[in-house]
Amino acid sequence: MAETSTIARPYAKAAFEHAVAKDALDEWSGMLVRVAQIVGDDDMRAQVLGNPKLSSAQKADVVVDVCGDAVNDDLKNFVRLVGQKGRLAALGGIAEQFEVLKAQQEKRVEVEIVSAFPLAEAQEQSLASALAKRLNREISITTQVDKTLLGGVILRAGDTVIDGSVRGRLNRLQEALSA
């Protein structure tokens, strides 16, 4: 079976293009997150999505009914379309890929900073401004502490990883000496 991201990509792109055309990116973003949460619920997956007695259309109708007023008619139709194709389980991936497309449109990127020690506010801002200049994007930072790094930081921005940690440097040195 195809990977969820492969299945989700065309649906996310279609939803994104529709949301851009309607000037409703934020609205669609929130609604897709809500639908993904509903579909991702263990009870929903066990009792509805995994129920062989229900048709794909019936499963989609249940999801739409549970959403209620949290989603507009366009998104309800989108969920029904995805359901008719038997792809309701991919709604989580669709929401994730929609967010990636939205971030690209808004020239924004989420950056995770992993450091050996908690960073001061000034250090975070310095890293953020350097990354914003390098990536030409608005930066949102989340930080995490990993004592095994010994020192330095690891930056993750989408597919880009910059390993400036002491542990990473020692590993690269070991690989160079072993070759």
Side-chain angles (χ1 to χ4, degrees):
M1 185 162 154
E3 188 176 327
T4 303
S5 63
T6 304
I7 293 168
R9 188 173 299 115
Y11 292 103
K13 188 172 187 231
F16 178 78
E17 289 172 357
H18 178 77
V20 167
K22 295 278 187 167
D23 195 27
L25 272 178
D26 290 333
E27 180 184 9
W28 268 74
S29 174
M31 291 186 303
L32 280 171
V33 166
R34 178 73 181 130
V35 170
Q37 289 171 340
I38 290 168
V39 172
D41 181 69
D42 291 337
D43 291 335
M44 176 64 79
R45 281 189 280 162
Q47 296 174 9
V48 177
L49 300 181
N51 187 343
K53 294 179 182 176
L54 295 175
S55 70
S56 295
Q58 289 171 320
K59 292 175 185 179
D61 286 339
V62 170
V63 171
V64 167
D65 289 344
V66 171
C67 290
D69 293 334
V71 299
N72 65 23
D73 290 340
D74 286 345
L75 192 79
K76 288 178 183 178
N77 291 334
F78 179 76
V79 170
R80 286 188 179 105
L81 174 72
V82 171
Q84 288 172 356
K85 301 294 183 184
R87 306 287 195 202
L88 287 173
L91 280 167
I94 293 169
E96 287 175 16
Q97 291 197 22
F98 184 93
E99 289 303 315
V100 169
L101 293 169
K102 182 177 179 245
Q104 288 173 348
Q105 172 85 6
E106 296 172 345
K107 291 199 170 237
R108 169 177 58 78
V109 68
E110 298 284 328
V111 176
E112 178 186 9
I113 301 175
V114 182
S115 62
F117 303 99
L119 296 175
E121 184 69 27
Q123 292 171 315
E124 285 183 28
Q125 293 305 318
S126 174
L127 285 169
S129 72
L131 282 170
K133 184 185 275 187
R134 179 175 178 181
L135 299 174
N136 194 26
R137 300 231 186 270
E138 180 182 317
I139 305 293
S140 299
I141 293 180
T142 57
T143 59
Q144 184 179 350
V145 175
D146 182 356
K147 300 277 186 200
T148 64
L149 294 181
L150 304 175
V153 296
I154 297 174
L155 304 170
R156 291 186 185 99
D159 293 341
T160 304
V161 177
I162 302 169
D163 187 351
S165 68
V166 173
R167 182 180 68 193
R169 290 178 186 173
L170 288 173
N171 288 341
R172 288 189 294 275
L173 178 61
Q174 179 184 10
E175 288 173 10
L177 292 174
S178 299

